[in-house]
Amino acid sequence: MQTHSLSQAATLLGVHRNTLSQWLREGCPAIEKADRERGVEWQLSLPDIVDWRIERAVASVAAASGGDGTAVTKEEADRRRSVALATMAEIDLDERLKSVVSREDAVADMSVFCQALRGQIDSAFSKIAARCSTMQSPTEIETMCRAEWNRAMKVAQEELRRRWDLRMAGEAVTDFPTE
């Protein structure tokens, strides 16, 4: 079963994270509750949340049909259920088509990008220092520095692209390429 953090689930459900927090206080199911002291994030199941919302909507409809003039017809209740099920199917399809990115994957990818960039820039410093000693022109030094910066960015971008291509192909993503 795939689980999501509070922020991820709110985004996928199309609600504000405060709304989802309120639902959790009202009894919305959670696989695991957050605990800041232990550094544990919410682990939420979207199907469980949607089922809980459907059950609440049905209960609301049943309560409203108590004769206070706000009764909802069976057709309206069925329509609402259909909308909720369609929303859940759309979220599932987005995940399968990889049109949404998990927060963990994005953080991991950006971390590797920054590590690759830092490694390239560290290497560029020693190259620049060695080559600058023979240069006289500030323009020549600037050109060389820009070239080294662009090379470092290109390597880091290629690593990020490699990871994204692997994710889109459904393959395992390694932290660094095997050369």
Side-chain angles (χ1 to χ4, degrees):
M1 169 193 322
Q2 185 173 11
T3 61
H4 302 280
S5 68
L6 181 83
S7 295
Q8 290 171 331
T11 299
L12 291 169
L13 292 167
V15 299
H16 193 276
R17 60 181 284 131
N18 291 344
T19 300
L20 185 51
S21 294
Q22 181 61 38
W23 292 351
L24 290 164
R25 286 190 293 275
E26 293 171 0
C28 180
I31 303 300
E32 185 170 359
K33 294 184 178 186
D35 185 344
R36 287 185 182 170
E37 291 179 13
R38 293 185 309 145
V40 175
E41 287 190 20
W42 284 100
Q43 294 297 312
L44 305 172
S45 165
L46 293 181
D48 290 351
I49 294 171
V50 172
D51 286 345
W52 179 78
R53 295 281 296 150
I54 291 170
E55 289 173 17
R56 283 187 39 156
V58 169
S60 175
V61 168
S65 64
D68 63 357
T70 60
V72 175
T73 65
K74 180 177 180 344
E75 291 79 18
E76 175 62 14
D78 288 342
R79 185 194 70 77
R80 290 180 185 180
R81 179 175 169 75
S82 294
V83 168
L85 291 173
T87 300
M88 190 167 72
E90 186 175 336
I91 291 168
D92 183 54
L93 181 61
D94 283 343
E95 289 175 346
R96 290 174 193 254
L97 293 175
K98 304 204 181 292
S99 61
V100 293
V101 178
S102 79
R103 178 175 176 261
E104 289 82 11
D105 289 347
V107 168
D109 289 347
M110 291 311 298
S111 175
V112 169
F113 171 82
C114 290
Q115 290 171 16
L117 184 59
R118 180 178 182 173
Q120 292 298 314
I121 290 173
D122 284 346
S123 169
F125 288 152
S126 59
K127 288 178 187 178
I128 290 169
R131 289 173 27 207
C132 277
S133 63
T134 63
M135 296 179 174
Q136 300 294 321
S137 164
T139 304
E140 185 181 13
I141 293 170
E142 180 182 355
T143 300
M144 182 198 49
C145 289
R146 286 187 188 280
E148 287 300 318
W149 174 259
N150 289 336
R151 189 188 58 73
M153 285 297 290
K154 183 177 180 189
V155 168
Q157 288 171 341
E158 287 170 355
E159 173 57 16
L160 189 57
R161 173 56 56 201
R162 181 191 72 83
R163 293 174 65 89
W164 288 349
D165 289 345
L166 288 171
R167 286 194 200 290
M168 292 304 292
E171 297 178 28
V173 177
T174 56
D175 280 344
F176 293 100
T178 54
E179 296 183 37

